[in-house]
Amino acid sequence: MSKNPLFATRASRMKASEIRELLKLLDQPGIISFAGGIPDPALFPADAFSQAFQAALGPQTQAQALQYSVSEGYVPLREWLVQHMREIGVTCDIDNILITSGSQQALDYLGKLFLSPGDTALVGWPTYLGALAAFNAYEPQFDRLNGNSGAAEYKAAAGDGAVKFAYLSADFANPTGETLDRQGREALLDLAEELDCAIIEDGAYQALRYDGDPIPPILSLELARKGSIENCRTIYCGSFSKTLSPGLRMGWVVAPKPTISQLVLLKQAADLHSATINQMAVHDVAQACFDSHIPQVRAVYQNRRDVMLDALEQHMPDGVEWTRPEGGMFIWVTLPAGVSGSELLARALDTVKVAFVPGQAFFPDGSGANTIRLSFSNSDEAAIREGIRRLGEVLRA
Ligand SMILES: Cc1ncc(COP(=O)(O)O)c(C=O)c1O
């Protein structure tokens, strides 16, 4: 696509997301899709939301619900989040929290706040495609977080720019499903100290653990070292998308107050505030049923993960390997060397109507051609068994 010469240089770095383009094709009948990492709509607490929106539009609160509001976010929702963060090991107060329009917006703002052109962002190899897209607009270079480099090597590779942050999902990452163990989290904190850089901890899937013991968030481990969130370099991004509803676009950032103040300025310039009525409804629903709803969501996804793992065991030919995630929505499959995920997708769509995401898109350098991401969250048991059976058939062929 030729770009308008009037566009800024950063526009040339922006590419259409392979996932979004693909999702457009998936409306065809008969497709079994393991592509989008999206929640099952049957699990949305729709009745609770219906009541919450009606209540917000009632005579007492309609003026507030439909009015402009403060950029930091709806106070009762931020108060609920203070409590929620405490439950996962993070002590903070309401002034450490900014409500964002999805955690995706938080990633964009953090890219804008930290990255000058040429600065380095350390990311997983592979990592969440949406984070790469958000950061990429600010013209950084990416370096590999899960390589074996130490601080000196990272600094040397950064050249004239600085290493500004390390970005990761410590729990059930998108796309690999993998979790960073406690030792790895502590080591990352040590590395960030040496590099004097921030850590952006993406907790999008944090609540979706199916087995194994919870590991404290990186921010919680840093708090144990430093006593107060004001001394921490870790910035935590949370989301209601995977637990309650992605359509309402509700996320949050937890950070030291000076960082929140800067983010508030960015939010004022970008969209003033997140939708008032959505914040009120999410608060209402979170307060009424978050704790009872999450176990139901976990039970459904846990079963789907187990079914997919079982089907992979049964149908994948020799030489194919995959992760065994303790939570989240994804299984990451490594095909034998030389087998291309993109070609497999083209063939699978064409011959057996199965969709997934080729892994290459998740690597900043376009490597990983022989990987694919499978999502188990939005297919029922029968579809998972049948889809993986068909995929095994195509791979054998
Ligand atoms: C790791 C990760 N972070 C952030 C997001 C963005 O989520 P949202 O903007 O809906 O909160 C996603 C969405 O898929 C994700 O997988």
Side-chain angles (χ1 to χ4, degrees), residues 73-83 94 97 99 240 250-252 278-284 286:
Y74 181 56
V75 169
L77 180 59
R78 287 158 70 216
E79 284 169 349
W80 186 88
L81 284 166
V82 167
Q83 185 57 34
I94 182 170
I97 295 182
I99 304 295
F240 287 107
M250 280 291 115
W252 69 94
N278 291 3
Q279 297 187 64
M280 292 169 79
V282 165
H283 168 252
D284 219 13

mmCIF file with all atom_site columns, all heavy atoms in Angstrom, residues 73-83 94 97 99 240 250-252 278-284 286:
data_model
loop_
_atom_site.group_PDB
_atom_site.id
_atom_site.type_symbol
_atom_site.label_atom_id
_atom_site.label_alt_id
_atom_site.label_comp_id
_atom_site.label_asym_id
_atom_site.label_entity_id
_atom_site.label_seq_id
_atom_site.pdbx_PDB_ins_code
_atom_site.Cartn_x
_atom_site.Cartn_y
_atom_site.Cartn_z
_atom_site.occupancy
_atom_site.B_iso_or_equiv
_atom_site.pdbx_formal_charge
_atom_site.auth_seq_id
_atom_site.auth_comp_id
_atom_site.auth_asym_id
_atom_site.auth_atom_id
_atom_site.pdbx_PDB_model_num
ATOM 1   N N   . GLY A 1 73  ? -10.535 8.715  36.185 1.00 0.00 ? 73  GLY A N   1
ATOM 2   C CA  . GLY A 1 73  ? -11.478 7.605  36.199 1.00 0.00 ? 73  GLY A CA  1
ATOM 3   C C   . GLY A 1 73  ? -12.479 7.732  37.334 1.00 0.00 ? 73  GLY A C   1
ATOM 4   O O   . GLY A 1 73  ? -12.274 8.492  38.285 1.00 0.00 ? 73  GLY A O   1
ATOM 5   N N   . TYR A 1 74  ? -13.542 6.938  37.227 1.00 0.00 ? 74  TYR A N   1
ATOM 6   C CA  . TYR A 1 74  ? -14.669 6.944  38.167 1.00 0.00 ? 74  TYR A CA  1
ATOM 7   C C   . TYR A 1 74  ? -14.175 6.483  39.538 1.00 0.00 ? 74  TYR A C   1
ATOM 8   O O   . TYR A 1 74  ? -13.610 5.388  39.670 1.00 0.00 ? 74  TYR A O   1
ATOM 9   C CB  . TYR A 1 74  ? -15.730 5.999  37.604 1.00 0.00 ? 74  TYR A CB  1
ATOM 10  C CG  . TYR A 1 74  ? -17.000 5.848  38.376 1.00 0.00 ? 74  TYR A CG  1
ATOM 11  C CD1 . TYR A 1 74  ? -17.787 6.948  38.712 1.00 0.00 ? 74  TYR A CD1 1
ATOM 12  C CD2 . TYR A 1 74  ? -17.462 4.574  38.713 1.00 0.00 ? 74  TYR A CD2 1
ATOM 13  C CE1 . TYR A 1 74  ? -18.982 6.776  39.398 1.00 0.00 ? 74  TYR A CE1 1
ATOM 14  C CE2 . TYR A 1 74  ? -18.663 4.398  39.389 1.00 0.00 ? 74  TYR A CE2 1
ATOM 15  C CZ  . TYR A 1 74  ? -19.415 5.509  39.736 1.00 0.00 ? 74  TYR A CZ  1
ATOM 16  O OH  . TYR A 1 74  ? -20.597 5.335  40.402 1.00 0.00 ? 74  TYR A OH  1
ATOM 17  N N   . VAL A 1 75  ? -14.365 7.322  40.539 1.00 0.00 ? 75  VAL A N   1
ATOM 18  C CA  . VAL A 1 75  ? -13.761 7.063  41.857 1.00 0.00 ? 75  VAL A CA  1
ATOM 19  C C   . VAL A 1 75  ? -14.163 5.700  42.441 1.00 0.00 ? 75  VAL A C   1
ATOM 20  O O   . VAL A 1 75  ? -13.298 4.933  42.877 1.00 0.00 ? 75  VAL A O   1
ATOM 21  C CB  . VAL A 1 75  ? -14.061 8.235  42.825 1.00 0.00 ? 75  VAL A CB  1
ATOM 22  C CG1 . VAL A 1 75  ? -13.690 7.869  44.256 1.00 0.00 ? 75  VAL A CG1 1
ATOM 23  C CG2 . VAL A 1 75  ? -13.284 9.478  42.385 1.00 0.00 ? 75  VAL A CG2 1
ATOM 24  N N   . PRO A 1 76  ? -15.466 5.331  42.454 1.00 0.00 ? 76  PRO A N   1
ATOM 25  C CA  . PRO A 1 76  ? -15.791 4.016  43.035 1.00 0.00 ? 76  PRO A CA  1
ATOM 26  C C   . PRO A 1 76  ? -15.101 2.849  42.320 1.00 0.00 ? 76  PRO A C   1
ATOM 27  O O   . PRO A 1 76  ? -14.723 1.867  42.950 1.00 0.00 ? 76  PRO A O   1
ATOM 28  C CB  . PRO A 1 76  ? -17.320 3.935  42.875 1.00 0.00 ? 76  PRO A CB  1
ATOM 29  C CG  . PRO A 1 76  ? -17.765 5.368  42.847 1.00 0.00 ? 76  PRO A CG  1
ATOM 30  C CD  . PRO A 1 76  ? -16.674 6.097  42.113 1.00 0.00 ? 76  PRO A CD  1
ATOM 31  N N   . LEU A 1 77  ? -14.909 2.975  41.002 1.00 0.00 ? 77  LEU A N   1
ATOM 32  C CA  . LEU A 1 77  ? -14.208 1.901  40.277 1.00 0.00 ? 77  LEU A CA  1
ATOM 33  C C   . LEU A 1 77  ? -12.742 1.853  40.698 1.00 0.00 ? 77  LEU A C   1
ATOM 34  O O   . LEU A 1 77  ? -12.174 0.775  40.905 1.00 0.00 ? 77  LEU A O   1
ATOM 35  C CB  . LEU A 1 77  ? -14.324 2.109  38.756 1.00 0.00 ? 77  LEU A CB  1
ATOM 36  C CG  . LEU A 1 77  ? -13.634 1.049  37.892 1.00 0.00 ? 77  LEU A CG  1
ATOM 37  C CD1 . LEU A 1 77  ? -14.183 -0.352 38.179 1.00 0.00 ? 77  LEU A CD1 1
ATOM 38  C CD2 . LEU A 1 77  ? -13.785 1.363  36.401 1.00 0.00 ? 77  LEU A CD2 1
ATOM 39  N N   . ARG A 1 78  ? -12.129 3.014  40.857 1.00 0.00 ? 78  ARG A N   1
ATOM 40  C CA  . ARG A 1 78  ? -10.724 3.040  41.302 1.00 0.00 ? 78  ARG A CA  1
ATOM 41  C C   . ARG A 1 78  ? -10.623 2.510  42.734 1.00 0.00 ? 78  ARG A C   1
ATOM 42  O O   . ARG A 1 78  ? -9.666  1.809  43.078 1.00 0.00 ? 78  ARG A O   1
ATOM 43  C CB  . ARG A 1 78  ? -10.149 4.447  41.155 1.00 0.00 ? 78  ARG A CB  1
ATOM 44  C CG  . ARG A 1 78  ? -9.915  4.783  39.672 1.00 0.00 ? 78  ARG A CG  1
ATOM 45  C CD  . ARG A 1 78  ? -9.872  6.264  39.427 1.00 0.00 ? 78  ARG A CD  1
ATOM 46  N NE  . ARG A 1 78  ? -8.708  6.891  39.975 1.00 0.00 ? 78  ARG A NE  1
ATOM 47  C CZ  . ARG A 1 78  ? -8.696  8.117  40.512 1.00 0.00 ? 78  ARG A CZ  1
ATOM 48  N NH1 . ARG A 1 78  ? -9.818  8.822  40.589 1.00 0.00 ? 78  ARG A NH1 1
ATOM 49  N NH2 . ARG A 1 78  ? -7.587  8.624  40.966 1.00 0.00 ? 78  ARG A NH2 1
ATOM 50  N N   . GLU A 1 79  ? -11.627 2.800  43.561 1.00 0.00 ? 79  GLU A N   1
ATOM 51  C CA  . GLU A 1 79  ? -11.606 2.251  44.929 1.00 0.00 ? 79  GLU A CA  1
ATOM 52  C C   . GLU A 1 79  ? -11.728 0.724  44.904 1.00 0.00 ? 79  GLU A C   1
ATOM 53  O O   . GLU A 1 79  ? -11.033 0.024  45.638 1.00 0.00 ? 79  GLU A O   1
ATOM 54  C CB  . GLU A 1 79  ? -12.745 2.865  45.763 1.00 0.00 ? 79  GLU A CB  1
ATOM 55  C CG  . GLU A 1 79  ? -12.413 4.282  46.187 1.00 0.00 ? 79  GLU A CG  1
ATOM 56  C CD  . GLU A 1 79  ? -13.608 5.033  46.785 1.00 0.00 ? 79  GLU A CD  1
ATOM 57  O OE1 . GLU A 1 79  ? -14.752 4.544  46.691 1.00 0.00 ? 79  GLU A OE1 1
ATOM 58  O OE2 . GLU A 1 79  ? -13.383 6.119  47.336 1.00 0.00 ? 79  GLU A OE2 1
ATOM 59  N N   . TRP A 1 80  ? -12.590 0.232  44.023 1.00 0.00 ? 80  TRP A N   1
ATOM 60  C CA  . TRP A 1 80  ? -12.726 -1.227 43.902 1.00 0.00 ? 80  TRP A CA  1
ATOM 61  C C   . TRP A 1 80  ? -11.376 -1.835 43.467 1.00 0.00 ? 80  TRP A C   1
ATOM 62  O O   . TRP A 1 80  ? -10.960 -2.888 43.963 1.00 0.00 ? 80  TRP A O   1
ATOM 63  C CB  . TRP A 1 80  ? -13.830 -1.574 42.888 1.00 0.00 ? 80  TRP A CB  1
ATOM 64  C CG  . TRP A 1 80  ? -14.114 -3.049 42.821 1.00 0.00 ? 80  TRP A CG  1
ATOM 65  C CD1 . TRP A 1 80  ? -14.999 -3.741 43.586 1.00 0.00 ? 80  TRP A CD1 1
ATOM 66  C CD2 . TRP A 1 80  ? -13.458 -4.006 41.984 1.00 0.00 ? 80  TRP A CD2 1
ATOM 67  N NE1 . TRP A 1 80  ? -14.946 -5.078 43.261 1.00 0.00 ? 80  TRP A NE1 1
ATOM 68  C CE2 . TRP A 1 80  ? -14.009 -5.274 42.289 1.00 0.00 ? 80  TRP A CE2 1
ATOM 69  C CE3 . TRP A 1 80  ? -12.465 -3.936 41.006 1.00 0.00 ? 80  TRP A CE3 1
ATOM 70  C CZ2 . TRP A 1 80  ? -13.616 -6.448 41.642 1.00 0.00 ? 80  TRP A CZ2 1
ATOM 71  C CZ3 . TRP A 1 80  ? -12.058 -5.106 40.374 1.00 0.00 ? 80  TRP A CZ3 1
ATOM 72  C CH2 . TRP A 1 80  ? -12.631 -6.335 40.697 1.00 0.00 ? 80  TRP A CH2 1
ATOM 73  N N   . LEU A 1 81  ? -10.707 -1.126 42.555 1.00 0.00 ? 81  LEU A N   1
ATOM 74  C CA  . LEU A 1 81  ? -9.421  -1.646 42.056 1.00 0.00 ? 81  LEU A CA  1
ATOM 75  C C   . LEU A 1 81  ? -8.324  -1.611 43.127 1.00 0.00 ? 81  LEU A C   1
ATOM 76  O O   . LEU A 1 81  ? -7.446  -2.484 43.136 1.00 0.00 ? 81  LEU A O   1
ATOM 77  C CB  . LEU A 1 81  ? -8.981  -0.863 40.804 1.00 0.00 ? 81  LEU A CB  1
ATOM 78  C CG  . LEU A 1 81  ? -9.764  -1.256 39.537 1.00 0.00 ? 81  LEU A CG  1
ATOM 79  C CD1 . LEU A 1 81  ? -9.550  -0.236 38.423 1.00 0.00 ? 81  LEU A CD1 1
ATOM 80  C CD2 . LEU A 1 81  ? -9.377  -2.652 39.065 1.00 0.00 ? 81  LEU A CD2 1
ATOM 81  N N   . VAL A 1 82  ? -8.375  -0.635 44.014 1.00 0.00 ? 82  VAL A N   1
ATOM 82  C CA  . VAL A 1 82  ? -7.414  -0.610 45.134 1.00 0.00 ? 82  VAL A CA  1
ATOM 83  C C   . VAL A 1 82  ? -7.544  -1.908 45.924 1.00 0.00 ? 82  VAL A C   1
ATOM 84  O O   . VAL A 1 82  ? -6.554  -2.574 46.260 1.00 0.00 ? 82  VAL A O   1
ATOM 85  C CB  . VAL A 1 82  ? -7.646  0.618  46.043 1.00 0.00 ? 82  VAL A CB  1
ATOM 86  C CG1 . VAL A 1 82  ? -6.895  0.483  47.363 1.00 0.00 ? 82  VAL A CG1 1
ATOM 87  C CG2 . VAL A 1 82  ? -7.233  1.899  45.318 1.00 0.00 ? 82  VAL A CG2 1
ATOM 88  N N   . GLN A 1 83  ? -8.790  -2.290 46.174 1.00 0.00 ? 83  GLN A N   1
ATOM 89  C CA  . GLN A 1 83  ? -9.069  -3.529 46.914 1.00 0.00 ? 83  GLN A CA  1
ATOM 90  C C   . GLN A 1 83  ? -8.616  -4.757 46.106 1.00 0.00 ? 83  GLN A C   1
ATOM 91  O O   . GLN A 1 83  ? -7.965  -5.660 46.624 1.00 0.00 ? 83  GLN A O   1
ATOM 92  C CB  . GLN A 1 83  ? -10.581 -3.573 47.199 1.00 0.00 ? 83  GLN A CB  1
ATOM 93  C CG  . GLN A 1 83  ? -11.043 -4.716 48.051 1.00 0.00 ? 83  GLN A CG  1
ATOM 94  C CD  . GLN A 1 83  ? -10.334 -4.752 49.404 1.00 0.00 ? 83  GLN A CD  1
ATOM 95  O OE1 . GLN A 1 83  ? -10.022 -3.699 49.963 1.00 0.00 ? 83  GLN A OE1 1
ATOM 96  N NE2 . GLN A 1 83  ? -10.047 -5.953 49.887 1.00 0.00 ? 83  GLN A NE2 1
ATOM 97  N N   . ILE A 1 94  ? -5.810  5.116  45.643 1.00 0.00 ? 94  ILE A N   1
ATOM 98  C CA  . ILE A 1 94  ? -6.601  5.502  44.472 1.00 0.00 ? 94  ILE A CA  1
ATOM 99  C C   . ILE A 1 94  ? -5.816  6.423  43.519 1.00 0.00 ? 94  ILE A C   1
ATOM 100 O O   . ILE A 1 94  ? -5.979  6.359  42.307 1.00 0.00 ? 94  ILE A O   1
ATOM 101 C CB  . ILE A 1 94  ? -7.944  6.116  44.946 1.00 0.00 ? 94  ILE A CB  1
ATOM 102 C CG1 . ILE A 1 94  ? -8.828  6.484  43.781 1.00 0.00 ? 94  ILE A CG1 1
ATOM 103 C CG2 . ILE A 1 94  ? -7.773  7.256  45.882 1.00 0.00 ? 94  ILE A CG2 1
ATOM 104 C CD1 . ILE A 1 94  ? -10.231 6.851  44.174 1.00 0.00 ? 94  ILE A CD1 1
ATOM 105 N N   . ILE A 1 97  ? -3.927  4.913  40.536 1.00 0.00 ? 97  ILE A N   1
ATOM 106 C CA  . ILE A 1 97  ? -4.689  4.187  39.510 1.00 0.00 ? 97  ILE A CA  1
ATOM 107 C C   . ILE A 1 97  ? -5.293  5.137  38.483 1.00 0.00 ? 97  ILE A C   1
ATOM 108 O O   . ILE A 1 97  ? -5.905  6.140  38.831 1.00 0.00 ? 97  ILE A O   1
ATOM 109 C CB  . ILE A 1 97  ? -5.815  3.353  40.171 1.00 0.00 ? 97  ILE A CB  1
ATOM 110 C CG1 . ILE A 1 97  ? -5.175  2.267  41.058 1.00 0.00 ? 97  ILE A CG1 1
ATOM 111 C CG2 . ILE A 1 97  ? -6.717  2.721  39.109 1.00 0.00 ? 97  ILE A CG2 1
ATOM 112 C CD1 . ILE A 1 97  ? -6.157  1.351  41.729 1.00 0.00 ? 97  ILE A CD1 1
ATOM 113 N N   . ILE A 1 99  ? -7.848  4.861  35.089 1.00 0.00 ? 99  ILE A N   1
ATOM 114 C CA  . ILE A 1 99  ? -8.702  4.008  34.253 1.00 0.00 ? 99  ILE A CA  1
ATOM 115 C C   . ILE A 1 99  ? -8.412  4.328  32.785 1.00 0.00 ? 99  ILE A C   1
ATOM 116 O O   . ILE A 1 99  ? -8.343  5.499  32.398 1.00 0.00 ? 99  ILE A O   1
ATOM 117 C CB  . ILE A 1 99  ? -10.205 4.272  34.540 1.00 0.00 ? 99  ILE A CB  1
ATOM 118 C CG1 . ILE A 1 99  ? -10.525 4.078  36.026 1.00 0.00 ? 99  ILE A CG1 1
ATOM 119 C CG2 . ILE A 1 99  ? -11.087 3.392  33.658 1.00 0.00 ? 99  ILE A CG2 1
ATOM 120 C CD1 . ILE A 1 99  ? -10.368 2.677  36.549 1.00 0.00 ? 99  ILE A CD1 1
ATOM 121 N N   . PHE A 1 240 ? -10.335 -5.563 32.213 1.00 0.00 ? 240 PHE A N   1
ATOM 122 C CA  . PHE A 1 240 ? -11.569 -6.307 32.473 1.00 0.00 ? 240 PHE A CA  1
ATOM 123 C C   . PHE A 1 240 ? -11.999 -7.109 31.245 1.00 0.00 ? 240 PHE A C   1
ATOM 124 O O   . PHE A 1 240 ? -13.037 -7.756 31.254 1.00 0.00 ? 240 PHE A O   1
ATOM 125 C CB  . PHE A 1 240 ? -12.707 -5.343 32.861 1.00 0.00 ? 240 PHE A CB  1
ATOM 126 C CG  . PHE A 1 240 ? -12.576 -4.770 34.249 1.00 0.00 ? 240 PHE A CG  1
ATOM 127 C CD1 . PHE A 1 240 ? -12.211 -3.445 34.448 1.00 0.00 ? 240 PHE A CD1 1
ATOM 128 C CD2 . PHE A 1 240 ? -12.816 -5.577 35.362 1.00 0.00 ? 240 PHE A CD2 1
ATOM 129 C CE1 . PHE A 1 240 ? -12.090 -2.921 35.727 1.00 0.00 ? 240 PHE A CE1 1
ATOM 130 C CE2 . PHE A 1 240 ? -12.697 -5.059 36.646 1.00 0.00 ? 240 PHE A CE2 1
ATOM 131 C CZ  . PHE A 1 240 ? -12.338 -3.734 36.830 1.00 0.00 ? 240 PHE A CZ  1
ATOM 132 N N   . MET A 1 250 ? -12.489 -1.479 29.110 1.00 0.00 ? 250 MET A N   1
ATOM 133 C CA  . MET A 1 250 ? -12.121 -1.019 30.458 1.00 0.00 ? 250 MET A CA  1
ATOM 134 C C   . MET A 1 250 ? -10.824 -1.665 30.912 1.00 0.00 ? 250 MET A C   1
ATOM 135 O O   . MET A 1 250 ? -10.729 -2.897 31.015 1.00 0.00 ? 250 MET A O   1
ATOM 136 C CB  . MET A 1 250 ? -13.214 -1.413 31.468 1.00 0.00 ? 250 MET A CB  1
ATOM 137 C CG  . MET A 1 250 ? -14.427 -0.513 31.492 1.00 0.00 ? 250 MET A CG  1
ATOM 138 S SD  . MET A 1 250 ? -14.054 1.099  32.160 1.00 0.00 ? 250 MET A SD  1
ATOM 139 C CE  . MET A 1 250 ? -14.348 2.090  30.723 1.00 0.00 ? 250 MET A CE  1
ATOM 140 N N   . GLY A 1 251 ? -9.847  -0.842 31.171 1.00 0.00 ? 251 GLY A N   1
ATOM 141 C CA  . GLY A 1 251 ? -8.579  -1.318 31.718 1.00 0.00 ? 251 GLY A CA  1
ATOM 142 C C   . GLY A 1 251 ? -8.088  -0.326 32.756 1.00 0.00 ? 251 GLY A C   1
ATOM 143 O O   . GLY A 1 251 ? -8.749  0.681  33.032 1.00 0.00 ? 251 GLY A O   1
ATOM 144 N N   . TRP A 1 252 ? -6.918  -0.621 33.351 1.00 0.00 ? 252 TRP A N   1
ATOM 145 C CA  . TRP A 1 252 ? -6.372  0.299  34.339 1.00 0.00 ? 252 TRP A CA  1
ATOM 146 C C   . TRP A 1 252 ? -4.858  0.187  34.397 1.00 0.00 ? 252 TRP A C   1
ATOM 147 O O   . TRP A 1 252 ? -4.278  -0.802 33.951 1.00 0.00 ? 252 TRP A O   1
ATOM 148 C CB  . TRP A 1 252 ? -6.985  0.055  35.723 1.00 0.00 ? 252 TRP A CB  1
ATOM 149 C CG  . TRP A 1 252 ? -6.600  -1.241 36.391 1.00 0.00 ? 252 TRP A CG  1
ATOM 150 C CD1 . TRP A 1 252 ? -5.577  -1.445 37.274 1.00 0.00 ? 252 TRP A CD1 1
ATOM 151 C CD2 . TRP A 1 252 ? -7.248  -2.523 36.244 1.00 0.00 ? 252 TRP A CD2 1
ATOM 152 N NE1 . TRP A 1 252 ? -5.548  -2.755 37.685 1.00 0.00 ? 252 TRP A NE1 1
ATOM 153 C CE2 . TRP A 1 252 ? -6.563  -3.446 37.069 1.00 0.00 ? 252 TRP A CE2 1
ATOM 154 C CE3 . TRP A 1 252 ? -8.336  -2.985 35.488 1.00 0.00 ? 252 TRP A CE3 1
ATOM 155 C CZ2 . TRP A 1 252 ? -6.929  -4.809 37.154 1.00 0.00 ? 252 TRP A CZ2 1
ATOM 156 C CZ3 . TRP A 1 252 ? -8.691  -4.335 35.579 1.00 0.00 ? 252 TRP A CZ3 1
ATOM 157 C CH2 . TRP A 1 252 ? -7.995  -5.218 36.410 1.00 0.00 ? 252 TRP A CH2 1
ATOM 158 N N   . ASN A 1 278 ? -19.752 3.357  31.078 1.00 0.00 ? 278 ASN A N   1
ATOM 159 C CA  . ASN A 1 278 ? -19.105 2.039  31.104 1.00 0.00 ? 278 ASN A CA  1
ATOM 160 C C   . ASN A 1 278 ? -18.353 1.826  32.415 1.00 0.00 ? 278 ASN A C   1
ATOM 161 O O   . ASN A 1 278 ? -18.344 0.733  32.974 1.00 0.00 ? 278 ASN A O   1
ATOM 162 C CB  . ASN A 1 278 ? -18.125 1.901  29.932 1.00 0.00 ? 278 ASN A CB  1
ATOM 163 C CG  . ASN A 1 278 ? -18.839 1.831  28.597 1.00 0.00 ? 278 ASN A CG  1
ATOM 164 O OD1 . ASN A 1 278 ? -20.067 1.947  28.540 1.00 0.00 ? 278 ASN A OD1 1
ATOM 165 N ND2 . ASN A 1 278 ? -18.088 1.630  27.534 1.00 0.00 ? 278 ASN A ND2 1
ATOM 166 N N   . GLN A 1 279 ? -17.723 2.888  32.895 1.00 0.00 ? 279 GLN A N   1
ATOM 167 C CA  . GLN A 1 279 ? -17.011 2.762  34.173 1.00 0.00 ? 279 GLN A CA  1
ATOM 168 C C   . GLN A 1 279 ? -17.992 2.477  35.303 1.00 0.00 ? 279 GLN A C   1
ATOM 169 O O   . GLN A 1 279 ? -17.730 1.659  36.186 1.00 0.00 ? 279 GLN A O   1
ATOM 170 C CB  . GLN A 1 279 ? -16.251 4.044  34.489 1.00 0.00 ? 279 GLN A CB  1
ATOM 171 C CG  . GLN A 1 279 ? -15.157 4.379  33.472 1.00 0.00 ? 279 GLN A CG  1
ATOM 172 C CD  . GLN A 1 279 ? -14.335 5.557  33.941 1.00 0.00 ? 279 GLN A CD  1
ATOM 173 O OE1 . GLN A 1 279 ? -13.658 5.474  34.963 1.00 0.00 ? 279 GLN A OE1 1
ATOM 174 N NE2 . GLN A 1 279 ? -14.371 6.651  33.201 1.00 0.00 ? 279 GLN A NE2 1
ATOM 175 N N   . MET A 1 280 ? -19.148 3.160  35.258 1.00 0.00 ? 280 MET A N   1
ATOM 176 C CA  . MET A 1 280 ? -20.152 2.951  36.312 1.00 0.00 ? 280 MET A CA  1
ATOM 177 C C   . MET A 1 280 ? -20.678 1.514  36.249 1.00 0.00 ? 280 MET A C   1
ATOM 178 O O   . MET A 1 280 ? -20.827 0.846  37.275 1.00 0.00 ? 280 MET A O   1
ATOM 179 C CB  . MET A 1 280 ? -21.300 3.964  36.161 1.00 0.00 ? 280 MET A CB  1
ATOM 180 C CG  . MET A 1 280 ? -20.843 5.390  36.452 1.00 0.00 ? 280 MET A CG  1
ATOM 181 S SD  . MET A 1 280 ? -22.072 6.636  35.976 1.00 0.00 ? 280 MET A SD  1
ATOM 182 C CE  . MET A 1 280 ? -23.212 6.531  37.334 1.00 0.00 ? 280 MET A CE  1
ATOM 183 N N   . ALA A 1 281 ? -20.943 1.046  35.023 1.00 0.00 ? 281 ALA A N   1
ATOM 184 C CA  . ALA A 1 281 ? -21.496 -0.307 34.880 1.00 0.00 ? 281 ALA A CA  1
ATOM 185 C C   . ALA A 1 281 ? -20.466 -1.361 35.301 1.00 0.00 ? 281 ALA A C   1
ATOM 186 O O   . ALA A 1 281 ? -20.799 -2.323 36.005 1.00 0.00 ? 281 ALA A O   1
ATOM 187 C CB  . ALA A 1 281 ? -21.937 -0.535 33.434 1.00 0.00 ? 281 ALA A CB  1
ATOM 188 N N   . VAL A 1 282 ? -19.213 -1.173 34.889 1.00 0.00 ? 282 VAL A N   1
ATOM 189 C CA  . VAL A 1 282 ? -18.185 -2.153 35.255 1.00 0.00 ? 282 VAL A CA  1
ATOM 190 C C   . VAL A 1 282 ? -18.001 -2.169 36.771 1.00 0.00 ? 282 VAL A C   1
ATOM 191 O O   . VAL A 1 282 ? -17.865 -3.240 37.384 1.00 0.00 ? 282 VAL A O   1
ATOM 192 C CB  . VAL A 1 282 ? -16.854 -1.880 34.510 1.00 0.00 ? 282 VAL A CB  1
ATOM 193 C CG1 . VAL A 1 282 ? -15.700 -2.642 35.144 1.00 0.00 ? 282 VAL A CG1 1
ATOM 194 C CG2 . VAL A 1 282 ? -16.993 -2.271 33.048 1.00 0.00 ? 282 VAL A CG2 1
ATOM 195 N N   . HIS A 1 283 ? -18.054 -0.996 37.385 1.00 0.00 ? 283 HIS A N   1
ATOM 196 C CA  . HIS A 1 283 ? -17.935 -0.965 38.843 1.00 0.00 ? 283 HIS A CA  1
ATOM 197 C C   . HIS A 1 283 ? -19.068 -1.755 39.495 1.00 0.00 ? 283 HIS A C   1
ATOM 198 O O   . HIS A 1 283 ? -18.856 -2.582 40.386 1.00 0.00 ? 283 HIS A O   1
ATOM 199 C CB  . HIS A 1 283 ? -17.946 0.484  39.358 1.00 0.00 ? 283 HIS A CB  1
ATOM 200 C CG  . HIS A 1 283 ? -18.125 0.541  40.838 1.00 0.00 ? 283 HIS A CG  1
ATOM 201 N ND1 . HIS A 1 283 ? -19.292 0.977  41.434 1.00 0.00 ? 283 HIS A ND1 1
ATOM 202 C CD2 . HIS A 1 283 ? -17.319 0.141  41.845 1.00 0.00 ? 283 HIS A CD2 1
ATOM 203 C CE1 . HIS A 1 283 ? -19.169 0.861  42.746 1.00 0.00 ? 283 HIS A CE1 1
ATOM 204 N NE2 . HIS A 1 283 ? -17.978 0.368  43.021 1.00 0.00 ? 283 HIS A NE2 1
ATOM 205 N N   . ASP A 1 284 ? -20.272 -1.493 39.002 1.00 0.00 ? 284 ASP A N   1
ATOM 206 C CA  . ASP A 1 284 ? -21.454 -2.152 39.560 1.00 0.00 ? 284 ASP A CA  1
ATOM 207 C C   . ASP A 1 284 ? -21.336 -3.673 39.454 1.00 0.00 ? 284 ASP A C   1
ATOM 208 O O   . ASP A 1 284 ? -21.557 -4.411 40.418 1.00 0.00 ? 284 ASP A O   1
ATOM 209 C CB  . ASP A 1 284 ? -22.663 -1.683 38.729 1.00 0.00 ? 284 ASP A CB  1
ATOM 210 C CG  . ASP A 1 284 ? -23.876 -1.455 39.588 1.00 0.00 ? 284 ASP A CG  1
ATOM 211 O OD1 . ASP A 1 284 ? -23.705 -1.414 40.800 1.00 0.00 ? 284 ASP A OD1 1
ATOM 212 O OD2 . ASP A 1 284 ? -24.984 -1.343 39.014 1.00 0.00 ? 284 ASP A OD2 1
ATOM 213 N N   . ALA A 1 286 ? -18.577 -5.484 38.786 1.00 0.00 ? 286 ALA A N   1
ATOM 214 C CA  . ALA A 1 286 ? -17.411 -6.020 39.511 1.00 0.00 ? 286 ALA A CA  1
ATOM 215 C C   . ALA A 1 286 ? -17.756 -6.175 40.990 1.00 0.00 ? 286 ALA A C   1
ATOM 216 O O   . ALA A 1 286 ? -17.462 -7.200 41.614 1.00 0.00 ? 286 ALA A O   1
ATOM 217 C CB  . ALA A 1 286 ? -16.208 -5.095 39.326 1.00 0.00 ? 286 ALA A CB  1
#
